[in-house]
């Protein structure tokens, strides 16, 4: 269970792309806490300097400000690295519908640059962030790898293309790639601000400020919310995964199912707030229900998440109360 007992060679070097973002900064922190070297690559377009300033005094930490759309920067960032944890991307389904060309550039070309740079530098393992959005309109639950529907957004398409390139780079170039299909990640340092903020931090911030949150749709959509510590475990276990597990994508979730309206009222109760939400229109490209089978990740990469939604939400709430 967890990742506390996962060990690597003493001088192992990890490159975390998008390391100044929510998921990336948590990965940097966990790896540094285990005593290994971390190199962070981020252009700070989405990530925040304050997320990585926490590590500035750690001699095992270094920062490269750079854009994954630049192949030369990617190659330089991979020099002397053992493991690449590629988190850099632009998220948000609705924003991708407004900006498809930009998403193509960053999420597809940028990821391909990182795979190519990893290949050229003989990286041991290339772990990359995929997404539950690749399931599209496939209605069956739980979501299972190999049973995908029609893609519903440019964002989802970029992640699907990343997975196809991952397969090819394993097959053609012997680069061990592992795609992690994250399901609705939440936890400390997730940004509660902006039009495209994730729902949990947004609800918490609005409730703390006595504002009325807007719920898109009827609130009866369900999600497999996944606490950040489970995501760290999956990344580190993928770095230790057997070669025969490479070239594939894996659901990374807890395997639970929470309804948005229930989460809202649970948060309101925990914060002792009586604020009635506003119900707005359903967002374009959104999937109604999301719940993952994690059997494949358990079997092939040893993923065994410790943090249920209930356990994670208490930790997240405490962090936001202290930091908002």
């Amino acid at each position: 269970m967890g990742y506390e007992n996962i060990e690597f060679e003493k001088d192992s070097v990890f490159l975390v792309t998008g390391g100044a973002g929510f998921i990336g900064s948590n990965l940097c922190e966990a790896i540094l806490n285990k005593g290994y070297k971390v190199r962070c690559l981020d252009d700070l377009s989405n990530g925040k300097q304050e997320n990585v300033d926490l590590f500035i005094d750690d001699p095992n930490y270094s920062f490269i400000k750079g854009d994954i759309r630049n192949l030369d920067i990617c190659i330089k960032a991979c020099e002397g690295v053992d493991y690449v944890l590629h988190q850099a991307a632009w998220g948000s389904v609705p924003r991708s519908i407004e900006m498809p060309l930009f998403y193509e550039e960053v999420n597809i070309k940028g990821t391909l640059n990182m795979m190519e740079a990893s290949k050229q530098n003989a990286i041991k393992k290339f772990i990359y962030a995929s997404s539950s959005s690749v399931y599209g309109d496939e209605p069956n639950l739980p979501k299972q790898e190999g049973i995908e529907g029609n893609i519903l957004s440019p964002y989802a398409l970029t992640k699907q293309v990343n997975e196809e390139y991952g397969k090819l780079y394993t097959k053609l170039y012997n680069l061990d790639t592992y795609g992690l299909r994250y399901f609705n990640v939440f936890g400390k340092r997730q940004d509660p601000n902006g039009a495209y903020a994730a729902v949990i931090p947004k609800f918490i911030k609005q409730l703390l400020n006595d504002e009325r949150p807007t719920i898109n749709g009827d609130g009866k959509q369900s999600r497999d919310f996944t606490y950040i510590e489970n995501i760290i475990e999956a990344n580190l276990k993928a770095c230790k995964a057997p070669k025969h597990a490479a070239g594939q994508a894996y659901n990374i979730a807890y395997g639970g199912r929470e309804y948005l309206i229930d989460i809202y009222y649970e948060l309101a109760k925990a914060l002792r707030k009586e604020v009635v939400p506003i119900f707005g229109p359903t967002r374009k490209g959104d999937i109604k229900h999301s719940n993952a089978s994690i059997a494949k990740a358990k079997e092939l990469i040893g993923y065994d998440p410790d943090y249920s939604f209930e356990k994670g939400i208490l930790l997240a709430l405490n962090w936001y109360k202290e930091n908002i």
Side-chain angles (χ1 to χ4, degrees):
M1 299 277 279
Y3 58 86
E4 293 76 15
N5 298 324
I6 301 174
E7 299 293 336
F8 297 91
E9 289 176 12
K10 193 163 73 82
D11 295 324
S12 291
V13 180
F14 291 77
L15 171 65
V16 181
T17 72
F22 155 51
I23 294 175
S25 65
N26 277 283
L27 281 168
C28 289
E29 183 176 31
I31 297 162
L32 288 167
N33 285 343
K34 289 178 76 65
Y36 303 110
K37 291 186 173 70
V38 172
R39 190 179 297 166
C40 168
L41 172 64
D42 204 304
D43 68 354
L44 300 177
S45 60
N46 260 330
K48 295 179 176 176
Q49 189 71 53
E50 69 202 54
N51 285 346
V52 285
D53 280 349
L54 304 164
F55 323 127
I56 214 108
D57 296 326
D58 192 320
N60 282 335
Y61 172 77
S62 59
F63 179 79
I64 299 170
K65 187 176 181 188
D67 191 329
I68 57 170
R69 290 176 292 178
N70 183 320
L71 178 60
D72 290 340
I73 284 170
C74 295
I75 290 169
K76 188 170 182 292
C78 286
E79 286 174 5
V81 166
D82 297 293
Y83 305 96
V84 172
L85 307 181
H86 176 55
Q87 314 300 311
W90 272 57
S92 171
V93 161
R95 184 168 56 191
S96 77
I97 292 170
E98 294 168 21
M99 304 165 67
L101 297 179
F102 183 73
Y103 274 69
E104 164 85 21
E105 278 282 302
V106 176
N107 291 9
I108 295 179
K109 188 185 176 195
T111 298
L112 184 56
N113 282 343
M114 282 306 309
M115 285 187 194
E116 180 60 24
S118 297
K119 179 193 88 175
Q120 291 188 26
N121 281 281
I123 296 298
K124 290 176 185 172
K125 303 279 184 186
F126 182 88
I127 321 300
Y128 62 95
S130 186
S131 163
S132 59
S133 64
V134 299
Y135 286 104
D137 64 2
E138 162 54 37
N140 294 307
L141 296 177
K143 306 293 184 189
Q144 205 164 326
E145 301 91 341
I147 309 172
E148 293 83 21
N150 295 303
I151 290 293
L152 299 176
S153 68
Y155 172 73
L157 181 60
T158 67
K159 294 299 185 179
Q160 185 187 57
V161 173
N162 290 170
E163 290 186 5
E164 292 301 320
Y165 271 123
K167 278 186 215 167
L168 279 176
Y169 265 72
T170 296
K171 191 176 174 182
L172 298 176
Y173 309 117
N174 205 28
L175 176 70
D176 283 5
T177 71
Y178 302 81
L180 305 183
R181 291 180 179 173
Y182 299 156
F183 279 69
N184 298 87
V185 189
F186 72 98
K188 66 180 181 184
R189 293 202 286 276
Q190 190 173 30
D191 191 354
N193 300 308
Y196 303 110
V199 67
I200 286 178
K202 201 169 192 174
F203 281 172
I204 293 171
K205 185 182 181 190
Q206 288 170 322
L207 283 165
L208 286 169
N209 292 335
D210 295 310
E211 296 167 12
R212 286 182 74 191
T214 296
I215 294 176
N216 298 108
D218 60 7
K220 290 177 183 168
Q221 57 270 55
S222 62
R223 297 288 182 265
D224 196 335
F225 285 102
T226 310
Y227 188 58
I228 185 65
E229 290 289 308
N230 297 334
I231 299 298
I232 296 166
E233 178 199 334
N235 274 270
L236 294 181
K237 284 191 171 167
C239 290
K240 304 289 280 185
K243 198 166 184 62
H244 66 80
Q248 300 184 58
Y250 299 87
N251 290 343
I252 302 301
Y254 186 70
R257 192 173 171 197
E258 312 296 330
Y259 290 86
L260 225 53
I261 191 70
D262 295 341
I263 285 174
Y264 174 75
Y265 282 114
E266 279 174 36
L267 289 172
K269 186 180 170 187
L271 294 168
R272 299 197 175 110
K273 302 285 183 179
E274 291 184 16
V275 182
V276 179
I278 300 160
F279 292 91
T282 302
R283 294 195 318 183
K284 260 201 264 182
D286 255 6
I287 294 166
K288 181 76 175 173
H289 298 293
S290 185
N291 161 245
S293 164
I294 54 174
K296 182 182 173 185
K298 279 188 172 184
E299 182 190 346
L300 290 176
I301 65 173
Y303 174 65
D304 192 11
D306 270 345
Y307 289 81
S308 64
F309 174 73
E310 292 74 18
K311 189 172 171 184
I313 201 68
L314 286 175
L315 293 164
L317 263 175
N318 289 338
W319 187 86
Y320 282 106
K321 280 195 265 191
E322 287 174 19
N323 290 277
I324 285 184

